[in-house]
Amino acid sequence: MTERYDVIIIGTGAGGGTLAHTLAASGKRILLLERGDFLPREMDNWDPKPVFVTGKYITKDTWYDEAGKPFQPQVHYFVGGATKLYGAALYRLRPADFGEIKHVDGVSPAWPLSYDEFEPWYTRAEWLYQVHGAHGEDPTEGPWSKQYPWPAVSHEPRIQQLADDLSAGGYHPFHAPCGIMLDEARRPASTCIRCTWCDGYPCLVHAKSDAEVIAVRPILDQPNVTLLTGAEVIRLDTDAAGGSVTGVAVQRDGGQETYQADIVALCAGATNSAKILLRSASDAHRRGLANGSGQLGRNYMFHNSKAMVALGKERNDTVYQKTLSVNDFYLPGNGREWPLGNIQMLGKSNAEAMRGEEPHLTKLAPQWSLDEVAAHAVDLWLTTEDLPRPDNRVQVDRDGQVRLAYTPGNAAEAADLYKEVRKMLNHAGLAAHHMLDKNYYMKMNVPIAGCAHQAGTARFGTDPATSVLDVDCKAHELDNLYVVDTSFFPSIGAVNPALTAIANAIRVGEHLIQRLG
Ligand SMILES: Cc1cc2nc3c(=O)[nH]c(=O)nc-3n(C[C@H](O)[C@H](O)[C@H](O)COP(=O)(O)OP(=O)(O)OC[C@H]3O[C@@H](n4cnc5c(N)ncnc54)[C@H](O)[C@@H]3O)c2cc1C
């Protein structure tokens, strides 16, 4: 079957879903090709066992590490992509992240755009994704042209106490930007019920600002928009000269179909977009489509992150915990030569999730002890910037399977951040636990399979010799191929990537509207 559209968008996550939303009003014929289906709304959405222990919503794909060892990547194939499971912490990169930053392990390169050039798209993204927050609280943030559309989500008592203790200790906690549909002034009428099942869980009541709910569902009744689910793109074909994509090959319902469009936007996520382009090698593009620079698949980043549980004497009965963040160590200074990163809260821990995430550590622990730990736990997420290293890369083997080579970077910065957080928490009354009678911090490093923040495999830039995409995210070597997911990041900063992917998709969408007339 061959059908022709104005734009084909491959993938419906933060990048693809938002791009489709931006283009929909133009009236152009848009085809969305999504490998997954709609995520079912079912009680399992809010059950830690299927979500964390049996991994019900994680793909059954097998990827291989550099040594050929198989692993199950924590990626999610649904309408809405990874945002169906994300924590909806929607941060802007800081202005410094758009420039060059020296790190202990090397240099984080500058973007071809400045923060000021990107700022309007951040504002559009925050308004589209209904972000709650308070611009002006965090000393590291850049200028903003519009306040958030919603006030910051209020802290619950334990977190308010933490914020007060940190402020008294000279730190600068701020309200974290959250993409949830909570109207605290009219709580009963609000879609969000302020539950604990947000970070890492699908939202049963569709009150999380994910790409399905915010971007894809609202455009599906438009006659110019077609969504095909269960449609896995396996290859892009070009004309003989290799200058234009002429066909998108799709596996669906056990057969193969081909679709055509004037513009093809690849938004399958940083690893899968690289995989599709590498698998599309041809006589005109021997090393993979759009890979004249040899950079495609390289510079894979996913943050040097740690989940951390601090146990206090007092109970922590917080339900929605993700309201606080600290950037006091985000930039170098105060005697520190390197930036260390961002500190934010995680969703509230529970015993089942601990078992799922740390099976070896918790195997022998009786249920009551884990319940007790969870009742006193304050859960944090520490993020240090990862560097774009050429050898951290996605490749495909002879069978077309993903091989992911990855060595984490900036370990010394991550270790220093952890030390600073321990000091900081001691200031905040998290110094003694009544069971353990001493400081007890449990920390968990994120392994290669935890590729939630994957980015960088097709970076944008002005020089075709060192980048895959131009500043509009069009492949340097093809006239109608765009990549509009987190692949385009030349560096990743130390805050969560989704808002930047969303803002960029709006930016590229507006460019395409101009281009298509
Ligand atoms: C558990 C979890 C928590 C997270 N929390 C946060 C957070 O709080 N804040 C934040 O900023 N970020 C968070 N992230 C990261 C964030 O979700 C991603 O950065 C973002 O969704 C990436 O957008 P994307 O468009 O690049 O990819 P995705 O959103 O993953 O979208 C890719 C889409 O492409 C589809 N696809 C893949 N291959 C094919 C193919 N061959 N054919 C057709 N379709 C295909 C996928 O099914 C998917 O729909 C989290 C991620 C996870 C997994």
Side-chain angles (χ1 to χ4, degrees), residues 11 13-15 34-35 77-78 81-82 86-89 231 233 267-268 452 485-486 496-498:
E34 170 52 53
R35 172 181 176 160
Y77 299 138
F78 294 105
Y86 80 161
V233 171
C267 316
D485 51 25
T486 54
N496 321 44

Side-chain angles (χ1 to χ4, degrees), residues 16 18 30 43 53 122 139 142 176 182 230 268 287 332 357 428 431 433 471 478 515:
T18 309
I30 299 161
M43 286 319 290
V53 183
Y122 272 139
L182 175 68
R287 295 195 288 180
E357 286 173 351
H433 182 254
V471 176
L478 288 106
R515 174 173 166 170

Side-chain angles (χ1 to χ4, degrees), residues 13 29 37 44 76 100 113 116 128 148 206 212 223 229 231 257 262 271 274 345 355 398 441 451 483 502:
R29 287 192 71 210
D37 210 329
D44 276 1
H76 311 275
E100 188 177 288
L113 294 175
D116 288 344
L128 176 62
Y148 286 108
H206 275 190
E212 177 204 349
T229 56
E257 301 166 356
D262 293 346
T271 302
M345 309 298 296
R355 283 196 196 282
R398 234 178 278 147
Y441 299 102
C451 37
V483 183
I502 290 165

Side-chain angles (χ1 to χ4, degrees), residues 64-253:
Y64 298 86
D65 72 10
E66 199 171 6
K69 194 169 151 214
F71 65 92
Q72 186 185 6
Q74 289 178 25
V75 294
H76 311 275
Y77 299 138
F78 294 105
V79 176
T83 69
K84 287 307 295 172
L85 280 293
Y86 80 161
L90 292 175
Y91 289 78
R92 297 178 177 208
L93 288 170
R94 274 38 197 164
D97 293 318
F98 288 78
E100 188 177 288
I101 302 179
K102 292 200 174 58
H103 284 268
V104 64
D105 282 353
V107 170
S108 162
W111 286 41
L113 294 175
S114 67
Y115 173 86
D116 288 344
E117 286 167 301
F118 215 77
E119 196 286 329
W121 312 111
Y122 272 139
T123 295
R124 291 245 327 240
E126 285 165 354
W127 280 70
L128 176 62
Y129 277 70
Q130 305 192 25
V131 184
H132 296 52
H135 282 308
E137 284 186 350
D138 171 27
T140 68
E141 80 173 330
W144 65 95
S145 51
K146 230 171 166 183
Q147 188 49 274
Y148 286 108
W150 288 91
V153 181
S154 62
H155 298 315
E156 289 173 47
R158 182 69 188 91
I159 305 305
Q160 184 60 57
Q161 185 197 335
L162 179 60
D164 294 344
D165 291 343
L166 294 180
S167 299
Y171 297 95
H172 301 87
F174 63 97
H175 285 89
C178 304
I180 55 175
M181 294 169 211
L182 175 68
D183 184 344
E184 294 197 86
R186 297 172 61 241
R187 182 78 58 82
S190 163
T191 327
C192 174
I193 57 169
R194 196 175 181 133
C195 71
T196 199
W197 318 114
C198 200
D199 199 0
Y201 296 84
C203 182
L204 177 59
V205 295
H206 275 190
K208 179 158 73 177
S209 299
D210 65 45
E212 177 204 349
V213 172
I214 291 284
V216 179
R217 275 190 186 270
I219 59 171
L220 287 183
D221 57 358
Q222 291 190 213
N224 59 319
V225 177
T226 305
L227 166 68
L228 293 183
T229 56
E232 180 181 353
V233 171
I234 50 170
R235 204 184 55 252
L236 305 181
D237 295 321
T238 68
D239 56 13
S244 302
V245 176
T246 51
V248 177
V250 173
Q251 232 152 31
R252 196 164 78 100
D253 293 336

Side-chain angles (χ1 to χ4, degrees), residues 408-428:
N410 288 337
E413 291 178 9
D416 282 353
L417 182 62
Y418 180 61
K419 276 189 223 148
E420 292 289 356
V421 172
R422 286 184 70 128
K423 269 195 254 165
M424 185 181 91
L425 292 178
N426 282 332
H427 270 281

